[in-house]
């Protein structure tokens, strides 16, 4: 059994599908105990972010953090682990789990725990936008606007498939015009108008999305997808395709690639989505790679 020292698990009870009969932290504690692993389990209290919880666990003496949640949870814990230069484990509990699947980590809790016990540390390249880490992707324009509108609709009407679809329509009705963008990609400059800019750092995710660009990522670049400023029905298809992983190759997107990308909108602040989580950032937005990798426990061999 691999010795990772003292392990703290950072749990997001709200990620993915939950079991109302048993809190996620209780389930995880039982599963770890069943294989003889003793761990500390932490979740956010009122007013705390997942990053706050992760930093507190390190201050309390943890030697490794394990993120139990979706890609947004994993991204938050990854930023803290990278900053402290400590390794990270993953128990995927989200809807899509692109990061874990790309590393060959089991989607089942017992399999993911087995990886923590027997796996090896792998170096993972992290992207950042204005200093904030992302694992799979970061975007501006239509997609983060849909995520923001969806949360408002969920709070008012509850979570449902109909509410999710309405969030797309409501966002398009509100979004009166596309973003005028000035691009600087490794010194190459370009201007265009687009409702969506999507920066990808996961070759696995692009393969799942059925999009070209994975080879650029494997070669060390970001893949930048830009949606043409077309009809609303085309925008709906493009946004839903990205959100659901059902995009149609490059028919709906312009593809660019590079290692240092600057997007300027001319606005003072921009809504940005990082691995599905949203925040306001100052313009311009600079996408770059962290200068050292994140160490993640993964299977020794990925089939």
């Amino acid at each position: 059994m691999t010795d990772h020292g003292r392990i703290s698990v950072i749990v997001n009870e709200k990620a993915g599908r939950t079991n109302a009969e048993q809190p996620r932290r209780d389930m995880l504690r039982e599963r770890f105990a069943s294989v003889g692993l003793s761990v500390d389990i932490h979740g956010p209290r009122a007013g705390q972010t997942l990053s706050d919880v992760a930093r507190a666990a390190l201050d309390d003496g943890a030697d490794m953090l394990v993120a139990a949640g979706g890609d947004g949870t994993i991204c938050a814990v990854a930023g803290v682990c990278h900053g402290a230069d400590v390794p990270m484990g993953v128990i995927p509990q989200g809807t899509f789990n692109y990061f874990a699947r790309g590393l060959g980590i089991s989607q089942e809790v017992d399999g993911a725990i087995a990886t923590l016990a027997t796996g090896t540390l792998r170096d993972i390249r992290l992207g950042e936008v204005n200093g904030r880490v992302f694992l799979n992707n970061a975007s501006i324009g239509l997609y983060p606007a849909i995520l923001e509108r969806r949360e408002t609709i969920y709070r008012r009407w509850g979570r449902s498939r109909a509410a999710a679809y309405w969030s797309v329509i409501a966002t398009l009705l509100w979004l009166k015009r596309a973003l005028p963008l000035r691009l600087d990609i490794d010194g190459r400059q370009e201007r265009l108008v687009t409702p969506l800019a999507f920066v990808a750092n996961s070759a696995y995710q692009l393969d799942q999305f059925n999009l070209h660009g994975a080879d650029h990522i494997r070669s060390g670049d970001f893949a930048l997808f830009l949606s043409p400023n077309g009809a609303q029905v085309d925008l709906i298809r493009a946004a839903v395709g990205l959100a659901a992983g059902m995009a149609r190759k490059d028919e709906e997107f312009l593809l660019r690639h590079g290692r240092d990308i600057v997007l300027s909108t001319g606005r003072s602040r921009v809504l940005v989505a990082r691995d599905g989580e949203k925040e306001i950032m100052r313009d311009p937005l600079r996408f770059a790679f962290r200068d050292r990798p994140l160490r993640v426990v993964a299977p020794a061999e990925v089939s």
Side-chain angles (χ1 to χ4, degrees), residues 47-276:
Q48 274 190 316
T49 67
L50 289 165
S51 297
D52 293 335
V53 177
R55 282 189 287 267
L58 291 179
D59 291 342
D60 195 40
D63 298 302
M64 183 175 82
L65 300 182
V66 174
D71 284 329
T73 300
I74 297 167
C75 179
V77 176
V80 174
C81 285
H82 186 267
D85 197 21
V86 300
M88 185 179 78
V90 174
I91 300 177
Q93 297 278 279
T95 303
F96 297 110
N97 303 314
Y98 290 117
F99 183 72
R101 287 160 59 193
L103 291 174
I105 296 172
S106 172
Q107 303 302 288
E108 301 298 326
V109 172
D110 291 337
I113 291 175
T115 294
L116 295 175
T118 62
T120 186
L121 288 174
R122 293 178 56 186
D123 287 345
I124 304 301
R125 185 182 58 175
L126 288 182
E128 66 174 24
V129 51
N130 286 11
R132 302 281 283 164
V133 163
F134 65 96
L135 302 170
N136 301 314
N137 62 74
S139 62
I140 63 173
L142 184 58
Y143 183 51
I146 288 172
L147 294 179
E148 185 174 51
R149 185 59 59 95
R150 181 177 297 173
E151 288 186 4
T152 300
I153 292 172
Y154 280 168
R155 284 194 297 269
R156 183 171 183 180
W157 302 106
R159 292 178 177 270
S160 69
R161 184 171 297 179
Y165 289 152
W166 172 245
S167 68
V168 177
I169 297 171
T171 304
L172 286 171
L173 293 174
W174 167 80
L175 191 68
K176 299 302 182 183
R177 61 187 180 89
L179 293 169
L181 278 187
R182 184 172 71 251
L183 313 181
D184 188 315
I185 305 175
D186 295 339
R188 305 184 305 272
Q189 297 184 349
E190 181 179 358
R191 289 179 181 269
L192 52 78
V193 176
T194 178
L196 173 68
F198 185 91
V199 179
N201 186 38
S202 168
Y204 177 85
Q205 188 179 43
L206 292 191
D207 288 338
Q208 295 300 302
F209 277 12
N210 194 34
L211 287 171
H212 294 305
D215 288 344
H216 295 308
I217 294 175
R218 295 186 181 101
S219 297
D221 285 358
F222 291 116
L224 168 62
F225 295 90
L226 302 156
S227 179
N229 189 22
Q232 282 195 331
V233 65
D234 297 324
L235 300 183
I236 291 174
R237 186 171 61 245
V240 172
L242 282 177
M246 298 182 297
R248 298 183 305 162
K249 285 298 178 187
D250 292 312
E251 294 178 32
E252 294 136 347
F253 300 100
L254 305 174
L255 173 61
R256 305 289 186 268
H257 64 93
R259 301 188 181 190
D260 195 328
I261 298 175
V262 179
L263 304 182
S264 302
T265 68
R267 303 177 179 179
S268 60
R269 296 176 181 271
V270 186
L271 181 65
V272 179
R274 295 180 300 117
D275 294 323

